Amino acid sequence: MKAERKDAAPLLVVDHLKKVYPTPDGGVEAVRDLHFSVPAGQLACIVGPSGAGKTTLLKCIAGLLPITSGSVSLLGEGVTGPPQAMAVVFQENGRSLFPWMSVQANVELPLKSAGLSRDERRRRAEEALHAVGLDEVGGSYPWQLSGGMQQRVAIARAIAYQPKVLLMDEPFAAVDAQTRADLEDLIRTIWMQLGVTILFVTHDIDESVYLGERVIVLSNSPTVVQDDIAIDLPAERDQLTTRNAPRFAELRGRIYEQIQRAKHNRGTESIQVADAG
Amino acid sequence: MRALTILKNAAFILALPLLLILLWWLGTLGGTNFYVPTPLQLIVTFFQTWFGERMVEDVLPSIGRLFAGIALTIAIGIAVGVVIGLFRPLRRVLEPLLEFFRAVPPPVLVPLLMLIIGVNDQMKVTVIVSGAVWPVLLNTVEGVRGTDQIMRDTARSYRMTRTQQLLHLVLPAASPQILTGVRQSLPIALILMVISEMFGSSTGLGLSILQFQRNFAIPEMWSGILVLGLIGFGLSIAFRIVERRILRWYHGLREVQREG
Ligand SMILES: Nc1ncnc2c1ncn2[C@@H]1O[C@H](COP(=O)(O)OP(=O)(O)OP(=O)(O)O)[C@@H](O)[C@H]1O
Ligand SMILES: [Mg+2]
């Protein structure tokens, strides 16, 4: 499946993005100058210290925040509002589910705005819930589920939408280690099966190496790209063997070092890496 | 099993009222106070007075106006509240004004509305709405404003239309607050129903009670108060049933949060 993937022209281009939050005392510069692009079908991880502006970056890409300067374009078109082919799994993704609707209705809701028929909506929602291992809970309310299950519902909602680009903001921050490992494998599987482009934000270095084909390290806020590392591990990954591979340790070491530097680097040493895909 | 629980609930609800009636009966055993009828007297008067012509001429029209007033209160309160809640500039301009209107005691509006609209059903319903609408409206504004930012971002990122956002996000998110407003509005509506009939009216429950009192028909007056009490009680029961249905998710969620 992996072999069919074509590294075509960049799907997503973040071009000298700058974001200043307007505040009464002059504004907070969350993102100074971010410049990178992501080819179609890539799974790219973004790591950076807390407060580095990762969420800000994702929201700009998702068209949810006005950009101060620079631009974001998807498939060659500038992003000004939420693009059609994109789904976002938010950092507080348990809170992103609507508590007044059943799990099934939550997953189906975005499909309504996509104009799908009732049968098609139900079919897709059931498939997506099946893919995340939640066949049984369609009729429950989200708050009746555990944190990890809510996370999976949010992911199912995103997959059912069948986006071209999937943005995920620290989706596994609040789940236990075992669930987390399962969810990581789930993301890899979905990515390989659907050929979707994924931008995955995490603060966990191991997770970024395990999941990604590429890791973009952000500096401290105001943010620039600190490093951009290609992850040359085999496509078939496994929690035990992959994490114990010597190459895994090397990559993790390199990223760890970069993060340490990032903590002290406040947008001074920007490197320009156009495409490490 | 279910019948048993219902019986048990009924026993809990009825215990205190029965006890009070017993005390009242004991209190009236000794002699008769002109202003306090015996329970039996009251019950007889209650049926004689209200289950006949008066039911059709006074009680039902009053209840009709009350329902019309409540329906309009809820519709206007939610509609205006949603609009104000969604548009921040509007909110900032209107909020002080709304607080002012809310603070005006509605009965003082009755003479004014009589002059403007005349003495008719519309005036009475307007009186009810003018006083009862504020809790619904202001609570709706609060509820709409408090809609979770992440849920809003979610709705936007999935490109839900404005109508879909209204139906599936804004209104349900505000529903706990809206229903709090409605609950506060119900007794206000009942009070204003009575008051709206006390000026220059020719029929109605409120007017009847006033006339009984003026004519020293004391048991009849008491029985009228009983009718009002029963209407209020019925309203609050109906409200609770509706609220439980609409806010099932909310009570469940709250329970989970308390445990967690
Ligand atoms: N709405 C806002 N108004 C003003 N400043 C903001 C706002 N949102 C975020 N910031 C600031 O922008 C910077 C980046 O925030 P952001 O949430 O993007 O960081 P993050 O990398 O996602 O952090 P974390 O890892 O903790 O989630 C922070 O300094 C934060 O205080
Ligand atoms: Mg964040």
Side-chain angles (χ1 to χ4, degrees), chain A:
Chain A
M1 255 173 265
K2 183 69 186 19
E4 292 165 12
R5 203 175 289 278
K6 317 185 270 289
D7 281 355
L11 178 87
L12 175 75
V13 178
V14 176
D15 185 20
H16 295 290
L17 174 69
K18 178 189 178 85
K19 172 66 190 175
V20 180
Y21 285 106
T23 52
D25 50 343
V28 176
E29 186 183 22
V31 169
R32 171 161 295 172
D33 180 22
L34 280 179
H35 194 74
F36 63 90
S37 65
V38 182
Q42 191 173 55
L43 201 175
C45 289
I46 297 178
V47 294
S50 188
K54 303 182 292 292
T55 300
T56 306
L57 167 65
L58 281 201
K59 283 193 174 169
C60 288
I61 295 175
L64 294 169
L65 270 184
I67 288 168
T68 308
S69 72
S71 73
V72 173
S73 47
L74 182 69
L75 288 163
E77 286 200 28
V79 169
T80 48
Q84 195 182 357
M86 189 180 279
V88 188
V89 175
F90 290 94
Q91 191 164 0
E92 303 85 348
N93 52 37
R95 253 172 73 201
S96 80
L97 300 172
F98 295 175
W100 44 86
M101 285 181 184
S102 71
V103 165
Q104 174 91 16
N106 263 288
V107 178
E108 279 186 27
L109 186 59
L111 306 180
K112 247 182 215 169
S113 41
L116 295 182
S117 73
R118 177 189 287 252
D119 287 345
E120 179 69 7
R121 290 202 302 266
R122 175 163 332 136
R123 196 183 58 74
R124 273 216 214 166
E126 276 166 6
E127 269 177 27
L129 285 170
H130 175 75
V132 300
L134 291 178
D135 298 272
E136 310 287 309
V137 302
S140 312
Y141 285 111
W143 40 266
Q144 292 173 318
L145 310 180
S146 70
M149 287 161 101
Q150 291 181 23
Q151 230 96 3
R152 281 188 273 167
V153 175
I155 294 169
R157 179 172 61 184
I159 345 178
Y161 193 62
Q162 298 184 354
K164 286 210 176 63
V165 184
L166 178 55
L167 309 181
M168 304 182 95
D169 193 358
E170 299 190 31
F172 310 146
V175 294
D176 61 274
Q178 184 52 50
T179 311
R180 187 178 188 135
D182 292 346
L183 291 175
E184 285 166 3
D185 290 333
L186 172 72
I187 294 298
R188 290 281 308 177
T189 312
I190 289 166
W191 171 68
M192 301 228 272
Q193 280 175 357
L194 302 182
V196 55
T197 308
I198 300 181
L199 217 55
F200 189 101
V201 166
T202 173
H203 58 242
D204 183 326
I205 299 168
D206 285 41
E207 185 169 78
S208 71
V209 178
Y210 181 73
L211 277 181
E213 294 182 290
R214 168 192 186 187
V215 175
I216 301 170
V217 182
L218 302 187
S219 74
N220 220 329
S221 180
T223 314
V224 296
V225 175
Q226 166 97 19
D227 200 356
D228 192 338
I229 300 157
I231 303 298
D232 46 6
L233 293 169
E236 288 301 333
R237 296 185 190 177
D238 175 84
Q239 291 287 354
L240 269 182
T241 47
T242 305
R243 284 180 191 270
N244 286 330
R247 183 65 186 145
F248 187 91
E250 269 171 48
L251 288 164
R252 182 181 50 195
R254 169 155 175 213
I255 293 167
Y256 182 77
E257 214 173 280
Q258 289 301 332
I259 300 251
Q260 289 307 94
R261 276 180 54 202
K263 284 188 182 153
H264 310 291
N265 179 3
R266 296 187 165 271
T268 44
E269 316 166 29
S270 174
I271 63 157
Q272 303 270 312
V273 189
D275 183 6

